[in-house]
Each structure stands twice: as structure tokens, then as C-alpha cells.
Amino acid sequence: MIQVSREKFEELVAEALDTIPPDLTRLMSNVVVTVVDDPPEPNLLGLYTGVPLTERGDWYSAVLPDRIEIYRNAICEICDTEEDVIEEVRITVVHEVGHHFGIDDARLHELGW
């Protein structure tokens, strides 16, 4: 287990978001990414809550933003080095962004995320 300050962890999340190709980030809509210290359930590193882009229709209007939560303590608990944290944050961010695009867990795991 490694300790990473909230400020540093938020920087790592921002850097992970910057690795997503601009063509994809331009398509992201009405979504916020936040760092949360602890997950609502064990073994959860991140969580997407909302309506994926693939399920939005004409009815989708005036709704609160989707949320991507990245769980700082859960990620730090499974990592031994800062490099491990960097990699796990990147994997988790990309995985949760994938859900925003409507990709399910099975396909994300097939793709290595």
C-alpha cells in the first residue's frame, strides 16, 4: 500500500484524462469526473453513474451530469509504488470513460481496461 495525497491523486486523474484522444474527449457530454476517498463498496476502484451516450435520445435534456468517481484509497491500497498508482489510475479512468461511451465491463476487459 502507498499513500498519495489527494492533490497529487487529482493530478494523476487529470493526466489520465489527458491521455484520452481529443477526438473522443470532444464527444464526452454532460459528465463530471471526481476523486472520492472511499468507494461505496469494497474492491471498487471507480464507478460510472449516468446515462451512457449510446442510450441518450430526444428525451435527454436538462438532466444532472453523469458522474465518474475514482476512489483514491482503494487504488492506493492495491499499489506498492507511485508508478503502480499512475498505471491503475489510468486504467480506471479509461475504464469508466468507456462506460460513458456505452461499453460494458465484458468488452472493456477484452480490450484490456
Side-chain angles (χ1 to χ4, degrees):
M1 179 174 168
I2 185 170
Q3 295 292 323
V4 177
S5 72
R6 185 177 183 89
E7 180 179 295
K8 176 64 177 172
F9 196 88
E10 288 174 351
E11 289 173 14
L12 296 177
V13 169
E15 290 169 7
L17 286 166
D18 287 343
T19 68
I20 298 171
D23 289 346
L24 291 178
T25 57
R26 277 193 286 277
L27 298 174
M28 294 174 67
S29 175
N30 200 33
V31 60
V32 63
V33 179
T34 62
V35 170
V36 176
D37 285 337
D38 297 305
E41 59 187 71
N43 303 316
L44 198 59
L45 304 180
L47 181 65
Y48 169 77
T49 306
V51 180
L53 294 173
T54 55
E55 296 178 18
R56 296 179 184 179
D58 294 339
W59 59 269
Y60 187 85
S61 176
V63 298
L64 292 173
D66 294 2
R67 292 182 53 91
I68 293 175
E69 295 179 344
I70 308 299
Y71 300 114
R72 182 175 66 94
N73 291 332
I75 289 176
C76 289
E77 284 177 13
I78 65 167
C79 295
D80 294 321
T81 66
E82 188 169 321
E83 291 76 25
D84 293 344
V85 174
I86 292 167
E87 182 64 16
E88 195 57 56
V89 165
R90 183 172 172 274
I91 290 168
T92 304
V93 166
V94 170
H95 182 97
E96 300 308 329
V97 168
H99 288 315
H100 179 65
F101 281 97
I103 304 171
D104 66 18
D105 277 326
R107 181 65 179 138
L108 285 166
H109 289 290
E110 284 176 17
L111 296 170
W113 301 106

